Amino acid sequence: MADVATEDDATMYRAGTDMQMHWNAEARPAVRRGECPTLGKPMPTGDGLLARLRTRDGVLTPPQLRALALAAQEHGNGIVEVTARGSLQIRGVREETIVPLERSLKEAGIEALPGIAIEVGPLSGLDADEFTDMRPIAEDLRAAIADHEPLLVLAPKLSITLDGGGRYHLGDVASDIKIAAYRDSGGQIRHLMSVGGDNRTACRLAILEERQIVSSIMALLAFMASRGPSTRGKELDAAMLADLFHPDASLVRVELPTQSPAPAGRVATDAKDAVLGLVLPYCQIDSTSLATLADRLIEIDAGELRFAPKHGFFVTGLEKEKVEDVATLATTLGFWLDPKDPRQSIALCVGARGCASAFYDTHEVADSVLRHAQGLLDGSLTLHLSGCAKGCAHPSRSALALVGTPTGYGLVVNGAASSPPERYLVASELNSALEGLASLAMPSNETGHTVCDRLMKLGARRIAEALLLEKT
Ligand code: SF4
């Protein structure tokens, strides 16, 4: 019978967590807290080492995609992921395969960019609604950072987003330093500089002309370095930076978009050739499917792969008559092509299908969610299905998480997978609990709110109590 968290459950839960910590302690502590995993310095996870890489402007060619898929198969466990920010991840790497993996990718001409992440929009230069193509600015910025003397010592996870605008803008990608292009009321293209958040939350600092972007970011980076190598954008505010920038009232009047669509489906562009967006199912694809897609793209001489936030990529340079052919193949291979696919609200790890630390089959539970509680997936929240408390698929907080425990599932509300669950469920209670959650989130007499709004209004404790009452 379902119950709110008991001490025994909590002990079992901690036992499971401790077990994973023990497992991880035995692996090489390759990545320190505060660092991101990289190709040469992967991070231990439940299914081996995880290597992350970001290529120049997030681009690969079809032959490089094929080489990456084969390398993931040979030197990892064959699972490739695209993160929420559009970085590539290869799972299941082993100590002895780190160097061969690096070598294979290098031989294919895949350059994993080291240092600060400098991100541009996935369709830079192709998006018909874009204001500024940020790729040359990103190149100048990389050169300025590399040439800076003395060397800038900055936080390892520091990220800079150069958002040229357009349909696939980066307004909902949080970063330490953000530049967002927009058109002002006089029709001029301007660039808003802000720090420590996304377009909704970042602290606004200045309005810049295109020619001022690199020098302004360099001034900000030098300031951050002077405060110490752990300084992040969210620690800064306009008052601290008053000597560098002079905020004025016009900053608050700049309207920027806050939510961009997933990179899924056919995209209208100014380019002669067509563009098709593909989202990886639950952020992951097996390397055999990826290689099959790459083979077809090579065969039809497609352009590039542009990796994008929200776990996908665009295929560019497709002859218009080949788009349906690629779309059909991609659908068969499991890619998602509908930007409104409710499954995009679920973040899951490989679970019992590929990780020794998992307490349940995350894919099977995702199917149960679709059958019993699809109403939860309105796009307003992330439902995190985590095989254990490590939370590899979604390390940050999510509105709802089902975390594997030795006795079943821990339900976490508005927390990370490692947060204490509000209540525990055994396997036989899962479907009715999902149905209960879906009906709680959609009261018939309330309209105009998202599922996330409704659940957050109820609060964690009331959700747990309501589910308990439903059972009695
Ligand atoms: S969160 Fe998932 S992939 Fe990560 S260690 Fe736990 S079960 Fe494995």
Side-chain angles (χ1 to χ4, degrees):
M1 151 141 187
D3 201 355
V4 286
T6 66
E7 207 165 304
D8 277 350
D9 285 330
T11 307
M12 289 290 279
Y13 182 79
R14 279 196 298 273
T17 309
D18 289 345
M19 199 167 77
Q20 289 131 28
M21 287 174 72
H22 176 68
W23 188 96
N24 287 338
E26 286 180 349
R28 184 178 71 152
V31 176
R32 283 185 294 124
R33 197 172 172 78
E35 284 184 333
C36 289
T38 61
L39 199 52
K41 211 170 176 189
M43 175 176 76
T45 66
D47 56 348
L49 299 169
L50 178 145
R52 185 179 299 161
L53 66 144
R54 172 169 285 279
T55 60
R56 190 171 299 273
D57 300 332
V59 174
L60 285 183
T61 63
Q64 287 173 335
L65 182 71
R66 186 170 196 284
L68 181 125
L70 297 182
Q73 188 142 48
E74 192 178 348
H75 306 303
N77 62 7
I79 294 173
V80 175
E81 298 178 329
V82 177
T83 69
R85 296 187 83 98
S87 294
L88 272 156
Q89 292 187 159
I90 297 172
R91 299 198 73 97
V93 180
R94 303 174 298 283
E95 287 288 334
E96 65 277 16
T97 60
I98 296 173
V99 173
L101 173 64
E102 278 187 292
R103 196 183 309 126
S104 297
L105 297 185
K106 197 168 173 204
E107 281 168 8
I110 299 173
E111 184 194 4
L113 290 186
I116 297 171
I118 299 175
E119 298 159 334
V120 298
L123 287 185
S124 293
L126 289 176
D127 192 328
D129 299 324
E130 181 181 67
F131 298 117
T132 306
D133 180 355
M134 291 285 189
R135 291 171 301 173
I137 298 170
E139 209 47 52
D140 289 349
L141 182 59
R142 280 187 203 103
I145 293 171
D147 293 345
H148 191 274
E149 286 184 5
L151 190 74
L152 291 170
V153 183
L154 297 157
K157 282 190 175 178
L158 198 118
S159 63
I160 300 171
T161 301
L162 303 177
D163 180 8
R167 180 162 161 71
Y168 295 93
H169 62 82
L170 302 174
D172 46 6
V173 176
S175 51
D176 292 273
I177 301 175
K178 250 185 128 52
I179 301 290
Y182 68 99
R183 192 184 297 280
D184 71 12
S185 53
Q188 298 297 308
I189 306 295
R190 308 268 186 218
H191 303 88
L192 181 74
M193 181 186 216
S194 55
V195 286
D198 56 22
N199 276 0
R200 202 171 43 81
T201 59
C203 170
R204 298 178 171 197
L205 295 178
I207 294 169
L208 308 173
E209 301 298 330
E210 188 173 328
R211 62 185 160 74
Q212 297 172 306
I213 294 175
V214 172
S215 58
S216 300
I217 293 176
M218 289 307 295
L220 197 44
L221 290 176
F223 177 82
M224 293 172 86
S226 73
R227 282 173 52 91
S230 61
T231 304
R232 302 296 302 268
K234 60 179 183 287
E235 296 162 31
L236 307 180
D237 59 38
M240 262 179 220
L241 296 159
D243 286 346
L244 289 176
F245 308 104
H246 310 291
D248 63 64
S250 66
L251 286 173
V252 295
R253 290 198 294 272
V254 176
E255 285 186 22
L256 295 173
T258 55
Q259 193 76 32
S260 69
R266 296 135 188 96
V267 181
T269 70
D270 275 349
K272 179 168 65 67
D273 296 327
V275 172
L276 182 68
L278 307 176
V279 171
L280 275 64
Y282 299 123
C283 326
Q284 305 180 326
I285 193 87
D286 65 277
S287 50
T288 308
S289 299
L290 202 56
T292 303
L293 178 72
D295 283 341
R296 185 72 185 122
L297 297 179
I298 293 166
E299 208 177 292
I300 63 172
D301 201 20
E304 296 175 332
L305 291 304
R306 301 271 194 102
F307 287 85
K310 301 188 170 70
H311 312 291
F313 57 82
F314 292 101
V315 183
T316 70
L318 288 169
E319 284 177 33
K320 293 216 162 98
E321 54 277 19
K322 299 282 169 49
V323 172
E324 291 315 311
D325 171 52
V326 176
T328 303
L329 174 66
T331 304
T332 310
L333 294 172
F335 287 96
W336 298 340
L337 278 79
D338 176 1
K340 293 204 169 77
D341 192 318
R343 293 172 294 181
Q344 291 183 56
S345 296
I346 299 176
L348 54 72
C349 69
V350 66
R353 295 185 182 190
C355 177
S357 298
F359 291 108
Y360 74 94
D361 184 332
T362 48
H363 289 258
E364 208 169 83
V365 170
D367 290 343
S368 296
V369 173
L370 290 167
R371 275 198 306 275
H372 296 279
Q374 201 179 126
L376 286 175
L377 311 176
D378 70 343
S380 67
L381 56 72
T382 297
L383 169 62
H384 183 188
L385 303 180
S386 187
C388 76
K390 192 159 194 310
C392 297
H394 193 82
S396 56
R397 175 185 295 261
S398 60
L400 291 172
L402 272 176
V403 183
T405 75
T407 53
Y409 312 93
L411 173 66
V412 175
V413 180
N414 198 17
S418 56
S419 306
E422 286 305 319
R423 67 178 303 176
Y424 291 88
L425 306 162
V426 296
S428 60
E429 296 164 330
L430 179 68
N431 291 343
S432 59
L434 288 172
E435 284 164 6
L437 270 173
S439 62
L440 266 180
M442 286 175 288
S444 55
N445 60 352
E446 198 176 344
T447 55
H449 292 107
T450 64
V451 168
C452 189
D453 293 340
R454 290 166 191 149
L455 288 177
M456 291 309 113
K457 197 170 160 199
L458 277 172
R461 182 47 59 179
R462 280 185 60 202
I463 291 169
E465 284 167 2
L467 288 182
L468 178 62
L469 284 177
E470 292 231 333
K471 298 293 294 178
T472 53

Short mmCIF file of all heavy atoms in Angstrom, two decimals, residues 20 24 45-47 91 284 348-352 354-360 362 384-393 417, ligand 1:
data_model
loop_
_atom_site.label_atom_id
_atom_site.label_comp_id
_atom_site.label_asym_id
_atom_site.label_seq_id
_atom_site.Cartn_x
_atom_site.Cartn_y
_atom_site.Cartn_z
N GLN A 20 25.43 3.51 -4.57
CA GLN A 20 25.91 4.16 -5.79
C GLN A 20 27.14 5.01 -5.50
O GLN A 20 28.08 5.07 -6.29
CB GLN A 20 24.81 5.03 -6.38
CG GLN A 20 23.69 4.22 -6.96
CD GLN A 20 22.37 4.73 -6.48
OE1 GLN A 20 22.27 5.91 -6.16
NE2 GLN A 20 21.38 3.87 -6.43
N ASN A 24 30.66 4.71 -7.30
CA ASN A 24 31.34 5.83 -7.96
C ASN A 24 32.73 6.07 -7.36
O ASN A 24 33.65 6.45 -8.06
CB ASN A 24 30.51 7.10 -7.84
CG ASN A 24 29.32 7.02 -8.76
OD1 ASN A 24 29.34 6.27 -9.72
ND2 ASN A 24 28.27 7.75 -8.44
N THR A 45 29.61 7.63 -14.13
CA THR A 45 28.17 7.53 -13.90
C THR A 45 27.85 6.06 -13.68
O THR A 45 28.75 5.22 -13.70
CB THR A 45 27.36 8.05 -15.11
OG1 THR A 45 27.58 7.17 -16.21
CG2 THR A 45 27.74 9.46 -15.49
N GLY A 46 26.58 5.75 -13.52
CA GLY A 46 26.20 4.38 -13.23
C GLY A 46 26.52 3.41 -14.36
O GLY A 46 26.66 2.21 -14.14
N ASP A 47 26.59 3.89 -15.60
CA ASP A 47 26.87 2.98 -16.71
C ASP A 47 28.25 3.24 -17.32
O ASP A 47 28.46 3.11 -18.51
CB ASP A 47 25.78 3.06 -17.79
CG ASP A 47 25.56 4.47 -18.32
OD1 ASP A 47 26.09 5.42 -17.72
OD2 ASP A 47 24.86 4.62 -19.33
N ARG A 91 28.16 7.68 -23.77
CA ARG A 91 28.04 7.00 -22.47
C ARG A 91 28.83 5.69 -22.48
O ARG A 91 29.14 5.12 -23.53
CB ARG A 91 26.58 6.71 -22.15
CG ARG A 91 25.69 7.92 -22.05
CD ARG A 91 24.41 7.60 -21.32
NE ARG A 91 24.67 7.44 -19.90
CZ ARG A 91 24.50 8.39 -18.98
NH1 ARG A 91 24.06 9.58 -19.34
NH2 ARG A 91 24.77 8.16 -17.72
N GLN A 284 18.34 10.26 -26.07
CA GLN A 284 19.36 9.26 -26.40
C GLN A 284 19.03 8.55 -27.70
O GLN A 284 17.88 8.42 -28.06
CB GLN A 284 19.42 8.18 -25.33
CG GLN A 284 19.64 8.65 -23.92
CD GLN A 284 19.69 7.50 -22.95
OE1 GLN A 284 19.01 6.49 -23.11
NE2 GLN A 284 20.51 7.64 -21.92
N LEU A 348 14.58 11.03 -18.97
CA LEU A 348 14.89 9.74 -18.34
C LEU A 348 16.30 9.30 -18.64
O LEU A 348 16.89 9.67 -19.65
CB LEU A 348 13.88 8.66 -18.72
CG LEU A 348 13.57 8.33 -20.17
CD1 LEU A 348 14.70 7.61 -20.84
CD2 LEU A 348 12.32 7.45 -20.21
N CYS A 349 16.85 8.50 -17.73
CA CYS A 349 18.17 7.92 -17.97
C CYS A 349 17.97 6.52 -18.56
O CYS A 349 16.84 6.06 -18.71
CB CYS A 349 18.96 7.85 -16.67
SG CYS A 349 18.31 6.66 -15.49
N VAL A 350 19.04 5.87 -18.86
CA VAL A 350 18.95 4.56 -19.52
C VAL A 350 18.28 3.54 -18.61
O VAL A 350 17.66 2.58 -19.07
CB VAL A 350 20.36 4.10 -19.98
CG1 VAL A 350 21.28 3.85 -18.79
CG2 VAL A 350 20.29 2.88 -20.86
N GLY A 351 18.34 3.75 -17.28
CA GLY A 351 17.67 2.87 -16.34
C GLY A 351 18.17 1.43 -16.41
O GLY A 351 19.31 1.17 -16.80
N ALA A 352 17.27 0.49 -16.05
CA ALA A 352 17.68 -0.91 -15.93
C ALA A 352 18.11 -1.52 -17.26
O ALA A 352 18.70 -2.59 -17.30
CB ALA A 352 16.54 -1.72 -15.33
N GLY A 354 20.41 -0.38 -19.14
CA GLY A 354 21.82 -0.18 -19.45
C GLY A 354 22.68 0.25 -18.27
O GLY A 354 23.85 0.57 -18.46
N CYS A 355 22.10 0.26 -17.07
CA CYS A 355 22.89 0.75 -15.94
C CYS A 355 22.71 -0.16 -14.73
O CYS A 355 21.58 -0.43 -14.30
CB CYS A 355 22.45 2.18 -15.60
SG CYS A 355 23.33 2.79 -14.16
N ALA A 356 23.83 -0.59 -14.20
CA ALA A 356 23.80 -1.53 -13.08
C ALA A 356 23.25 -0.90 -11.81
O ALA A 356 22.83 -1.60 -10.89
CB ALA A 356 25.23 -2.04 -12.82
N SER A 357 23.23 0.44 -11.72
CA SER A 357 22.75 1.09 -10.51
C SER A 357 21.24 1.29 -10.50
O SER A 357 20.68 1.74 -9.50
CB SER A 357 23.41 2.47 -10.36
OG SER A 357 24.79 2.31 -10.24
N ALA A 358 20.57 0.99 -11.62
CA ALA A 358 19.15 1.32 -11.74
C ALA A 358 18.28 0.37 -10.94
O ALA A 358 18.55 -0.83 -10.88
CB ALA A 358 18.73 1.30 -13.20
N PHE A 359 17.19 0.92 -10.38
CA PHE A 359 16.23 0.09 -9.65
C PHE A 359 14.97 -0.18 -10.47
O PHE A 359 14.09 -0.88 -10.02
CB PHE A 359 15.83 0.79 -8.34
CG PHE A 359 16.95 0.84 -7.33
CD1 PHE A 359 17.60 2.02 -7.04
CD2 PHE A 359 17.38 -0.33 -6.70
CE1 PHE A 359 18.62 2.06 -6.12
CE2 PHE A 359 18.41 -0.29 -5.77
CZ PHE A 359 19.04 0.90 -5.49
N TYR A 360 14.87 0.45 -11.65
CA TYR A 360 13.68 0.13 -12.48
C TYR A 360 13.96 0.44 -13.95
O TYR A 360 14.95 1.09 -14.30
CB TYR A 360 12.44 0.85 -11.95
CG TYR A 360 12.34 2.35 -12.20
CD1 TYR A 360 11.66 2.85 -13.31
CD2 TYR A 360 12.88 3.27 -11.31
CE1 TYR A 360 11.53 4.22 -13.53
CE2 TYR A 360 12.76 4.64 -11.51
CZ TYR A 360 12.08 5.10 -12.63
OH TYR A 360 11.95 6.44 -12.84
N THR A 362 13.24 2.53 -16.77
CA THR A 362 12.70 3.89 -16.96
C THR A 362 11.85 4.00 -18.24
O THR A 362 10.86 4.72 -18.26
CB THR A 362 13.86 4.91 -17.04
OG1 THR A 362 14.83 4.42 -17.96
CG2 THR A 362 14.51 5.11 -15.69
N HIS A 384 10.85 13.76 -14.40
CA HIS A 384 12.16 13.08 -14.42
C HIS A 384 12.00 11.64 -13.94
O HIS A 384 11.58 11.42 -12.81
CB HIS A 384 13.13 13.87 -13.52
CG HIS A 384 14.52 13.33 -13.52
ND1 HIS A 384 15.48 13.78 -12.66
CD2 HIS A 384 15.12 12.38 -14.28
CE1 HIS A 384 16.61 13.13 -12.89
NE2 HIS A 384 16.41 12.28 -13.86
N LEU A 385 12.33 10.70 -14.81
CA LEU A 385 12.31 9.29 -14.43
C LEU A 385 13.76 8.86 -14.26
O LEU A 385 14.50 8.75 -15.24
CB LEU A 385 11.62 8.46 -15.52
CG LEU A 385 10.19 8.88 -15.86
CD1 LEU A 385 9.60 7.98 -16.94
CD2 LEU A 385 9.30 8.86 -14.61
N SER A 386 14.15 8.64 -13.02
CA SER A 386 15.56 8.39 -12.73
C SER A 386 15.70 7.00 -12.10
O SER A 386 15.07 6.71 -11.08
CB SER A 386 16.07 9.47 -11.76
OG SER A 386 17.45 9.34 -11.60
N GLY A 387 16.56 6.18 -12.70
CA GLY A 387 16.75 4.82 -12.20
C GLY A 387 17.27 4.77 -10.78
O GLY A 387 17.06 3.80 -10.06
N CYS A 388 17.94 5.82 -10.34
CA CYS A 388 18.41 5.90 -8.96
C CYS A 388 18.58 7.38 -8.59
O CYS A 388 18.33 8.26 -9.42
CB CYS A 388 19.73 5.14 -8.79
SG CYS A 388 21.15 6.02 -9.45
N ALA A 389 19.05 7.61 -7.39
CA ALA A 389 19.09 8.99 -6.88
C ALA A 389 20.19 9.84 -7.50
O ALA A 389 20.29 11.03 -7.22
CB ALA A 389 19.27 8.96 -5.37
N LYS A 390 21.00 9.26 -8.37
CA LYS A 390 22.09 10.05 -8.96
C LYS A 390 21.55 11.09 -9.96
O LYS A 390 22.10 12.16 -10.11
CB LYS A 390 23.10 9.14 -9.64
CG LYS A 390 24.37 9.83 -10.03
CD LYS A 390 25.48 8.83 -10.21
CE LYS A 390 26.84 9.50 -10.26
NZ LYS A 390 26.94 10.62 -11.17
N GLY A 391 20.46 10.75 -10.64
CA GLY A 391 19.79 11.74 -11.50
C GLY A 391 20.58 12.15 -12.73
O GLY A 391 20.55 13.32 -13.13
N CYS A 392 21.25 11.21 -13.38
CA CYS A 392 22.11 11.55 -14.54
C CYS A 392 21.37 12.32 -15.64
O CYS A 392 21.93 13.21 -16.26
CB CYS A 392 22.67 10.27 -15.18
SG CYS A 392 23.73 9.33 -14.09
N ALA A 393 20.10 11.96 -15.90
CA ALA A 393 19.42 12.56 -17.06
C ALA A 393 19.03 14.01 -16.82
O ALA A 393 18.84 14.76 -17.77
CB ALA A 393 18.17 11.74 -17.40
N ALA A 417 16.72 14.57 -8.21
CA ALA A 417 16.55 13.14 -7.92
C ALA A 417 17.12 12.78 -6.55
O ALA A 417 16.67 11.84 -5.91
CB ALA A 417 17.20 12.31 -9.01
S1 SF4 B 1 20.56 7.95 -12.71
FE1 SF4 B 1 20.21 6.28 -14.16
S2 SF4 B 1 22.05 6.19 -15.48
FE2 SF4 B 1 22.55 7.43 -13.66
S3 SF4 B 1 23.49 6.00 -12.22
FE3 SF4 B 1 21.30 6.09 -11.71
S4 SF4 B 1 20.29 4.46 -12.88
FE4 SF4 B 1 22.34 4.79 -13.76
#
